[in-house]
Amino acid sequence: RKEVEQDPGPFNVPEGATVAFNCTYSNSASQSFFWYRQDCRKEPKLLMSVYSSGNEDGRFTAQLNRASQYISLLIRDSKLSDSATYLCVVQAGTALIFGKGTTLSVSS
Amino acid sequence: EAGVTQFPSHSVIEKGQTVTLRCDPISGHDNLYWYRRVMGKEIKFLLHFVKESKQDESGMPNNRFLAERTGGTYSTLKVQPAELEDSGVYFCASSRRPQGVTDTQYFGPGTRLTVL
């Protein structure tokens, strides 16, 4: 079983749609949780950290359920510029553990 | 503030040759990490430096890989001799805070290594 598993994707949605990504992790000792965004042939960039209380940043909402070892990302009112690969990332110790990523394609 | 820089951006070498990748972290960042993504797989951790000391090298695949960070500034990752399965994108990341404190890791643009 992979340490971090994500929806296989790709997700193809029209502009304005709401899309949700899910992720599960296997290490119950994981301490920190993140969503990173990676554009084609670019480096991963932190999108947002994820907290148990849930957190929102504009059109993006992230949730963490420690009991279920489940993380989610909701994107509302999708924009063309949201097209990218979204990486679910957990941290145990200092190393980041990445999922394979879910590709989102937003079309007009 | 300049970001993490890596050199070269691309490298194509033949099996058995040696390649050295370089990473310059963000100024003032004591923590430096190396990661790798091979085709079709997720990004995987290789090792972590705090200043010039290796804190965690549990992800290093084998003894053909040697990482150094002399002086605690830039780091090099040498692959000798390179094998076909070493092909992939090698990312470097850096962060500011001491180990044990959650901190954002900022990634460089990566070095795309192709071993023929």
Side-chain angles (χ1 to χ4, degrees):
Chain A
R1 181 186 174 188
K2 289 202 176 294
E3 292 188 77
V4 178
E5 298 209 56
Q6 296 186 239
D7 283 346
F11 284 62
N12 298 302
V13 302
E15 276 187 290
T18 295
V19 62
F21 301 141
N22 304 313
C23 166
T24 57
Y25 61 95
S26 60
N27 185 352
S28 59
S30 299
Q31 305 151 326
S32 303
F33 308 88
F34 311 93
W35 284 100
Y36 273 73
R37 169 189 170 134
Q38 187 173 25
D39 293 286
C40 188
R41 292 183 170 260
K42 299 286 188 181
E43 69 273 22
K45 290 186 178 178
L46 179 66
L47 178 66
M48 58 198 303
S49 301
V50 189
Y51 306 110
S52 296
S53 54
N55 48 300
E56 188 173 307
D57 182 3
R59 298 181 292 108
F60 298 83
T61 301
Q63 294 275 358
L64 166 66
N65 184 321
R66 284 186 183 266
S68 303
Q69 295 180 200
Y70 171 92
I71 306 164
S72 66
L73 176 68
L74 183 76
I75 305 175
R76 293 181 300 278
D77 188 22
S78 298
K79 311 292 185 191
L80 295 175
S81 57
D82 294 334
S83 298
T85 296
Y86 290 82
L87 303 168
C88 179
V89 183
V90 304
Q91 185 170 14
T94 56
L96 297 182
I97 303 165
F98 286 79
K100 287 184 72 173
T102 302
T103 299
L104 172 65
S105 178
V106 182
S107 56
S108 57
Chain B
E1 182 181 74
V4 177
T5 58
Q6 294 187 242
F7 182 82
S9 56
H10 294 80
S11 181
V12 181
I13 60 172
E14 294 193 350
K15 176 182 171 181
Q17 289 187 320
T18 297
V19 62
T20 300
L21 314 180
R22 172 171 170 144
C23 168
D24 286 79
I26 293 171
S27 178
H29 283 196
D30 288 341
N31 297 286
L32 187 149
Y33 312 82
W34 284 99
Y35 292 85
R36 175 175 79 166
R37 184 171 199 162
V38 297
M39 189 178 295
K41 302 283 189 181
E42 64 274 17
I43 297 171
K44 286 204 166 178
F45 168 80
L46 297 179
L47 88 159
H48 169 218
F49 284 99
V50 177
K51 297 185 180 178
E52 67 276 7
S53 299
K54 291 177 187 174
Q55 291 296 298
D56 180 356
E57 50 184 330
S58 61
M60 294 288 265
N62 51 62
N63 59 10
R64 296 185 293 103
F65 288 75
L66 174 64
E68 294 181 320
R69 194 184 180 195
T70 307
T73 54
Y74 70 91
S75 174
T76 57
L77 180 64
K78 182 162 70 174
V79 185
Q80 178 183 32
E83 299 288 346
L84 298 178
E85 64 265 24
D86 300 333
S87 295
V89 182
Y90 290 76
F91 290 105
C92 176
S94 72
S95 70
R96 179 184 299 276
R97 294 181 193 170
Q99 184 180 1
V101 177
T102 300
D103 191 20
T104 300
Q105 294 186 22
Y106 297 91
F107 282 75
T111 293
R112 187 171 298 273
L113 174 64
T114 302
V115 182
L116 302 175

